[in-house]
Amino acid sequence: MRDALEINGRRLAARLESLGEIGALPGGGVCRLALSEEDRQGRERVLAWMRELGLEVSVDAMGNLFGLRPGLEAVPPVMTGSHIDTVRTGGLYDGNLGVLAGLEVVETLNDAGITTRRPLCVAAFTNEEGARFAPDMMGSLVYVGGMPLEEALATRGIDGERVGDCLEAIGARGDAPVGAPSVHAFVELHVEQGPVLEESGVTIGAVEKVQGISWTEFTFTGTSNHAGTTPMRLRHDAGYAAMATATFVRELVTRIGGDQVGTVGSLEIAPNLVNVVANHARFTVDLRNTCNQRLQQAEEELADFVERLAVQEGIQVEHRTLARFDPVPFDAAMVDRVEASARALGHSVMRMPSGAGHDAQMLARVCPTSMIFVPSVGGISHNINEFTAFHDVEAGANVLLQVLLDLSE
Ligand code: GLV
Ligand code: MN
Ligand code: MN
């Protein structure tokens, strides 16, 4: 460990604020949906910083950004990074912290005149959120070879636009081959986005695993009819079915208990009028569990419920898997490294799972990987009020610095 070396927290906070200006929302927070005009501007700013710091910049055909800092040896780099896309009502920290802390580590090493043995690489992966184009973690999934590039480019978003067209439209499609540069190890700094660290009074989370994720879109098709004249026995109500399913999801996950969570976060019904029985409903279900068996149980029970409900109500149902990822354990030695570095810097640290999805879970397919979490005030995230205290941002970035130095020697 290099005791004297510390990142510059003010400089990191200034970059977080600066990036947060792009897509800033009136009440605070950010809307920088993947491959939007705001994403284009965010990419420009990050690329400009990478170049100012002397990094060798490359952009692959999926729009993933990489900034390489050469080492003494021309071997695969130690990589860090995250994403700069946000949900529609996002905060300043989700993803952005991981990318900008990587840049801050680079600047710290530049200032100190340190050349590491292995190269370092800071990455910003395309469309981590999946809020516009499913699945989430799309850029890192393609990077590790988990999804063919062509399939990703052909994916249509919630607005009907194709990933490939949007990449072209914002000039984000690069010419570096997908999968380059190859990676020696990956570590991602991220805000926890949940309440555990704050409630435990602990500064650093050494992330041991990411829970499994299951996203399904359901579409019910019924018959629209007059809300006053249609007897209940003659209804084929797609709106009722959607809302009954949402209620079932809450009951299901409560019954399964433990880590099981479930969310109906998107719902549209048509014609969406006070006096018309809805003939159309489309909604999403997000189910997550650290235990894959329990997650499968939840998926099966939900599928059974929906089938029975459609028969009872005399409506059609279609479903489409938007994302399905098993739980991902991180490399034990990498988790140890995070924990040891945090302790060596005098921080309280606990091992924990991640409730959110992260690019690191994709990188774990190809190299030893772990994550560093810092507390989210009030456990709030995917919300414009997402906030992490300055001293925690600083602590997390210093742990990142030490882990990267350690891995690159
Ligand atoms: C990504 O942010 C997710 O966990 O939904
Ligand atoms: Mn994130
Ligand atoms: Mn997110």
Side-chain angles (χ1 to χ4, degrees):
M1 195 177 107
R2 304 194 194 212
D3 285 328
L5 205 59
E6 278 184 20
I7 61 96
N8 181 330
R10 298 262 156 235
R11 199 164 54 190
L12 171 54
R15 282 206 180 96
L16 276 164
E17 273 167 38
S18 168
L19 193 51
E21 286 164 6
I22 301 174
L25 293 168
V30 186
C31 174
R32 206 180 311 122
L33 287 172
L35 308 181
S36 61
E37 166 58 20
E38 291 75 23
D39 191 14
R40 184 192 69 73
Q41 291 176 33
R43 288 161 177 271
E44 285 305 311
R45 195 159 295 182
V46 168
L47 286 170
W49 283 326
M50 285 181 171
R51 292 195 181 99
E52 275 166 33
L53 294 174
L55 297 177
E56 295 172 6
V57 169
S58 62
V59 182
D60 70 16
M62 188 58 209
N64 295 317
L65 314 182
F66 301 95
L68 189 80
R69 184 174 193 270
L72 295 171
E73 293 176 20
V75 291
V78 175
M79 194 182 284
T80 188
S82 191
H83 60 98
I84 65 159
D85 66 311
T86 74
V87 295
R88 210 192 289 282
T89 50
L92 266 60
Y93 300 84
D94 180 357
N96 298 289
L97 174 62
V99 174
L100 301 180
L103 296 184
E104 176 51 39
V105 166
V106 167
E107 189 153 9
T108 301
L109 297 181
N110 287 357
D111 289 352
I114 293 173
T115 304
T116 51
R117 184 174 75 78
R118 283 188 176 275
L120 289 178
C121 182
V122 181
F125 292 103
T126 296
N127 182 34
E128 187 272 351
E129 293 291 0
R132 183 179 181 199
F133 305 99
D136 46 352
M137 287 79 71
M138 184 183 273
S140 48
L141 182 61
V142 170
Y143 167 77
V144 302
M147 183 185 212
L149 173 66
E150 292 312 318
E151 188 183 329
L153 297 179
T155 302
R156 285 192 190 275
I158 53 174
D159 46 13
E161 301 284 346
R162 281 174 70 256
V163 167
D165 296 337
C166 295
L167 270 171
E168 297 284 352
I170 67 164
R173 187 165 181 184
D175 51 14
V178 167
S182 63
V183 53
H184 171 70
F186 184 79
V187 59
E188 177 174 355
L189 171 63
H190 206 284
V191 288
E192 181 204 333
Q193 309 183 267
V196 177
L197 288 172
E198 185 182 64
E199 282 177 4
S200 310
V202 170
T203 304
I204 300 292
V207 184
E208 291 182 296
K209 59 185 164 186
V210 179
Q211 66 180 347
I213 302 175
S214 167
W215 287 359
T216 311
E217 179 190 80
F218 292 95
T219 305
F220 286 127
T221 306
T223 308
S224 60
N225 209 336
H226 196 291
T229 62
T230 313
M232 298 313 288
R233 65 188 160 80
L234 292 183
R235 293 190 183 212
H236 308 290
D237 187 340
Y240 156 71
M243 288 173 260
T245 307
T247 303
F248 175 78
V249 166
R250 173 59 80 97
E251 288 165 0
L252 171 71
V253 302
T254 306
R255 173 161 48 77
I256 292 176
D259 286 342
Q260 183 64 53
V261 290
T263 307
V264 175
S266 169
L267 164 68
E268 63 182 38
I269 62 171
N272 200 19
L273 296 168
V274 64
N275 54 356
V276 185
V277 173
N279 67 344
H280 166 92
R282 178 176 302 164
F283 60 100
T284 56
V285 180
D286 173 322
L287 296 171
R288 306 194 196 199
N289 202 317
T290 50
C291 167
N292 208 32
Q293 211 183 331
R294 294 256 171 94
L295 183 56
Q296 280 164 357
Q297 178 197 336
E299 289 172 308
E300 283 162 21
E301 288 199 37
L302 173 62
D304 285 352
F305 176 84
V306 166
E307 286 301 326
R308 278 187 280 114
L309 179 63
V311 171
Q312 274 166 25
E313 191 65 14
I315 59 178
Q316 305 300 311
V317 60
E318 287 170 57
H319 62 91
R320 192 161 71 92
T321 299
L322 299 178
R324 180 61 171 87
F325 301 115
D326 288 353
V328 177
F330 285 140
D331 181 89
M334 288 287 288
V335 182
D336 288 347
R337 244 178 233 278
V338 169
E339 188 176 19
S341 295
R343 282 202 201 293
L345 290 174
H347 299 304
S348 50
V349 53
M350 67 186 281
R351 291 170 171 254
M352 61 191 300
S354 170
H358 295 291
D359 294 308
Q361 79 191 85
M362 298 308 163
L363 272 288
R365 296 185 186 195
V366 296
C367 68
T369 297
S370 181
M371 295 186 72
I372 304 161
F373 273 179
V374 286
S376 294
V377 170
I380 297 278
S381 186
H382 287 185
N383 180 318
I384 61 171
N385 295 316
E386 177 187 78
F387 182 69
T388 293
F390 175 77
H391 54 92
D392 289 331
V393 166
E394 215 172 23
N398 274 315
V399 174
L400 179 69
L401 168 67
Q402 293 303 330
V403 174
L404 290 175
L405 279 173
D406 200 14
L407 287 167
S408 59
E409 286 315 319

